[in-house]
């Protein structure tokens, strides 16, 4: 189902290109093009290395990177591992590392993601990477991660739009970014998001496009995704 709709995106890009207009495809990064599980996992392993955490390490030993959902401390809390003091300490340890150039390099592309974005680009789409990662700490690592996972970047028709500051709310940033997407005077063909609220916002902003909701992880208490969103677990075309 997802793959049929992904192929539809490619054919629409070809049609818009052939008509002389600029096709635009908007991609979120975290939990959309990239899985953040390896980043979370690396932070957890580093946390466990501190002296006195041997017993905790034994309790965590059965976990796998894929077990970490939205955040690490909830993953432990749900399994009854640790206590409130430990979860708070872990949360601080995590937030000092998660939003940094260095740690985003742990992320891996979702299955098929790099090939799909490359296919969109080679058919003429402007690739608009739109992420809540912030300027002033994540921009260099983000470019390095895009390149190391073979996403198109240094070849024209690729935009990378990061949040101007860490403090700005992601949803407000993405709402504002719609004006920038429109400024290219192209035709938005598709958007890809893991946060239902953001995907709903793109659906309202560009009703003629195909809007995908990646079924990876999303923030707690997220609003429901509109039934018109196309659910997909990956970017595989077969
Ligand atoms: Mg995301």
């Amino acid at each position: 189902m997802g793959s049929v709709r992904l192929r539809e995106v490619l054919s629409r890009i070809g049609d818009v290109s052939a008509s002389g207009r600029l096709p635009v495809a908007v991609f979120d990064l975290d939990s959309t093009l990239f899985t953040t599980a390896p980043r979370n996992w690396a932070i957890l392993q580093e946390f466990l290395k501190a002296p006195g955490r041997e017993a905790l390490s034994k309790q965590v030993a059965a976990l796998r990177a894929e077990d970490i959902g939205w955040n690490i401390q909830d993953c432990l809390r749900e399994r009854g591992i640790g206590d409130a003091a430990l979860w708070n300490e872990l949360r601080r340890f995590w937030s000092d590392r998660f939003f940094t150039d260095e740690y985003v390099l742990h992320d891996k592309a979702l299955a098929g993601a790099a090939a799909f974005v490359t296919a969109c680009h080679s058919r003429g789409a402007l690739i608009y990477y739109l992420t809540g990662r912030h300027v002033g700490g994540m921009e260099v690592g983000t470019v390095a991660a895009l390149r190391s996972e073979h996403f198109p970047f240094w070849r024209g028709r690729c935009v990378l739009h990061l949040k101007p500051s860490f403090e700005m709310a992601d949803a407000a940033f993405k709402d504002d970014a719609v004006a920038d997407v429109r400024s290219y005077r192209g035709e938005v063909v598709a958007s890809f998001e893991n946060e239902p609220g953001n995907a709903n916002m793109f659906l309202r902003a560009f009703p003629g496009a195909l809007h995908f909701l990646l079924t990876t992880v999303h923030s707690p208490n997220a609003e429901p995704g509109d039934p018109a969103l196309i659910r997909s677990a990956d970017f595989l075309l077969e």
Side-chain angles (χ1 to χ4, degrees), residues 28-32 174 193-195:
D28 171 54
L29 299 186
D30 288 336
S31 303
T32 296
K174 293 206 168 175
E193 255 292 346
N194 67 299
E195 285 295 342

Side-chain angles (χ1 to χ4, degrees), residues 2 7 27 39 55 64 73 77 84 111 123 154 185 211 228:
R7 283 198 293 275
F27 295 92
R39 187 180 350 163
R64 295 284 169 270
Q73 64 270 21
R77 186 185 297 139
R123 281 166 175 76
W154 302 120
R185 306 276 189 265
H211 299 282

